[in-house]
């Protein structure tokens, strides 16, 4: 098992924890590999068993990458979505985009088309 030995600090609800964007120890090779993949591919998946730090790695990547996209970076957390949840609606809500109409997927695609952004879909299992 593990034993937590660091000092604990309380934060107000909604406040970012101190050190949340601190360096990931031992993940330099993973970060470099993911950055290289992002230079060549529009879509990159980070996969692995639960608890290995996929979200931390993705968060570090999105913080470290240059703001080369006109519309910036977006983080969409799908963890609270029920098993049959509407991913389209969750993405649209996280980005503040309208998805009215009979076909929410088509509406989201149309709203995303003119945007130049980097998006992370966390917990998209």
């Amino acid at each position: 098992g593990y034993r937590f030995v660091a000092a604990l600090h309380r934060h107000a609800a909604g406040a970012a924890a101190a050190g949340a964007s601190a360096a990931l120890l031992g993940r330099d090779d993973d970060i470099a590999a993911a950055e290289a993949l992002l230079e060549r591919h529009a879509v990159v998946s980070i996969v692995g068993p639960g608890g290995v730090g996929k979200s931390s790695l993705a968060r570090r990547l999105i913080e470290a990458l240059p703001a080369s996209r006109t519309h910036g970076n977006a983080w969409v957390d799908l963890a609270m979505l029920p098993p049959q949840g509407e991913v389209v609606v969750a993405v649209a809500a996280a980005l503040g985009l309208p998805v009215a109409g009979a076909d929410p997927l088509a509406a989201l695609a149309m709203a995303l088309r003119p945007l130049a952004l980097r998006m992370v879909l966390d917990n998209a299992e």
Side-chain angles (χ1 to χ4, degrees):
Y2 295 94
R3 185 178 354 165
F4 188 78
V5 296
L8 297 176
H9 303 282
R10 291 191 181 267
H11 297 277
S21 63
L24 296 176
L25 299 177
R27 300 300 293 266
D28 293 342
D29 291 345
D30 296 330
I31 291 170
E35 286 175 341
L37 287 169
L38 285 168
E39 288 176 7
R40 295 188 313 254
H41 304 285
V43 177
V44 173
S45 295
I46 300 173
V47 298
V52 298
K54 299 177 298 290
S55 296
S56 296
L57 180 65
R59 188 163 303 279
R60 188 67 181 145
L61 278 169
I62 207 163
E63 290 172 356
L65 291 171
S68 60
R69 307 293 171 122
T70 306
H71 297 97
N73 299 325
W75 187 273
V76 181
D77 190 355
L78 302 173
M80 301 309 289
L81 218 57
Q84 300 302 319
E86 278 292 328
V87 173
V88 171
V89 174
V91 170
L95 299 175
L97 299 172
V99 290
D103 188 354
L105 179 58
L108 179 61
M110 290 297 292
L112 286 172
R113 185 167 286 133
L115 301 181
L117 63 84
R118 183 175 288 117
M119 181 172 26
V120 173
L121 297 177
D122 193 27
N123 295 295
E125 295 86 11

